[in-house]
Amino acid sequence: AQSVTQLGSHVSVSEGALVLLRCNYSSSVPPYLFWYVQYPNQGLQLLLKYTTGATLVKGINGFEAEFKKSETSFHLTKPSAHMSDAAEYFCAVSTIKAAGNKLTFGGGTRVLVKP
Amino acid sequence: EPEVTQTPSHQVTQMGQEVILRCVPISNHLYFYWYRQILGQKVEFLVSFYNNEISEKSEIFDDQFSVERPDGSNFTLKIRSTKLEDSAMYFCASSGHRVPTEAFFGQGTRLTVV
């Protein structure tokens, strides 16, 4: 079984400040990890993913995340928040299966960016 | 850029009625999924579909739910007799490969059961 925990359902940051969203996962096999963003009244858009290889992955809109196996974490960061980053962010885990791979999502973190 | 499209964007239905939510996945994708998000809660997996059959389903996906790929392009989710608790945003997703890669999500259908 796999699970995802996102610490903090709401995060408020000032424009230009560091964005740090925490994600811890549980998986009995090597995980594949994803961050998705959901803007108001829209679907889920992939920000970045970790499958294998380099543990620091870069995504769209200046976001990056680091896979730390020893800490079972995949925290998302952005050095400088922009007003357009206001959205809900979901961490998700998946493992390879015979026929496709379902995603297990965390509870989401809603980001508010203050001017 | 290819995208997953879902129709309708909003659906209001009376309790006990049947609803069909429609999705057009990305054309060369092989794996199809339905997820739902009840307001204020996490996104939950419902079902995955590959090679014209269900490959995995969650405990939520009971006998009231069914999926179909009727014509090689559409992928539908049917709820036979809707309940109030079925009110949620339903997301369709598709993926091109067995090796986990990103799933591409549609914009969702907001289902309201009254």
Side-chain angles (χ1 to χ4, degrees):
Chain A
Q2 54 200 33
S3 66
V4 177
T5 302
Q6 290 182 241
L7 292 177
S9 58
H10 291 79
V11 167
S12 181
V13 298
S14 297
E15 193 174 17
L18 171 72
V19 180
L20 170 60
L21 305 182
R22 298 180 187 276
C23 171
N24 288 88
Y25 69 90
S26 171
S27 176
S28 56
V29 297
Y32 297 84
L33 296 158
F34 306 82
W35 276 98
Y36 282 85
V37 60
Q38 185 181 31
Y39 298 103
N41 300 314
Q42 294 190 27
L44 298 164
Q45 180 183 5
L46 181 73
L47 272 180
L48 49 76
K49 64 179 178 181
Y50 168 79
T51 54
T52 57
T55 56
L56 180 64
V57 291
K58 296 185 185 298
I60 61 171
N61 302 338
F63 284 92
E64 63 181 37
E66 186 170 13
F67 169 59
K68 291 187 176 180
K69 183 178 177 180
S70 61
E71 298 177 8
T72 61
S73 70
F74 191 58
H75 301 329
L76 181 72
T77 60
K78 181 174 181 177
S80 177
H82 191 272
M83 297 298 291
S84 61
D85 295 325
E88 188 154 21
Y89 293 80
F90 293 92
C91 182
V93 65
S94 177
T95 55
I96 191 167
K97 295 178 76 73
N101 48 283
K102 72 175 185 182
L103 292 163
T104 299
F105 286 87
T109 299
R110 189 171 298 277
V111 172
L112 171 67
V113 182
K114 299 177 292 185
Chain B
E1 184 175 325
E3 60 180 17
V4 176
T5 57
Q6 290 185 242
T7 54
S9 55
H10 293 88
Q11 172 102 40
V12 180
T13 189
Q14 290 200 325
M15 193 168 52
Q17 294 297 303
E18 174 183 286
V19 294
I20 297 176
L21 309 183
R22 301 181 191 279
C23 169
V24 179
I26 294 172
S27 63
N28 60 349
H29 281 186
L30 301 175
Y31 302 91
F32 312 109
Y33 309 86
W34 284 100
Y35 292 82
R36 79 173 185 189
Q37 184 182 29
I38 295 172
L39 189 63
Q41 298 186 24
K42 65 171 64 177
V43 178
E44 302 172 289
F45 168 77
L46 291 178
V47 65
S48 60
F49 191 86
Y50 169 73
N51 199 25
N52 286 319
E53 62 182 21
I54 290 174
S55 50
E56 187 174 0
K57 60 183 181 179
S58 71
E59 60 273 14
I60 302 168
F61 194 88
D62 61 22
D63 292 344
Q64 293 299 312
F65 291 88
S66 62
V67 289
E68 194 177 35
R69 190 158 160 79
D71 57 11
S73 62
N74 292 284
F75 179 51
T76 61
L77 174 69
K78 181 192 290 185
I79 309 175
R80 288 191 185 81
S81 178
T82 50
K83 308 182 188 72
L84 294 177
E85 54 265 36
D86 294 328
S87 295
M89 180 74 89
Y90 287 80
F91 292 107
C92 174
S94 70
S95 176
H97 306 282
R98 181 177 72 90
V99 175
T101 181
E102 63 266 33
F104 291 83
F105 282 78
Q107 298 289 78
T109 293
R110 182 167 297 285
L111 176 66
T112 302
V113 182
V114 297

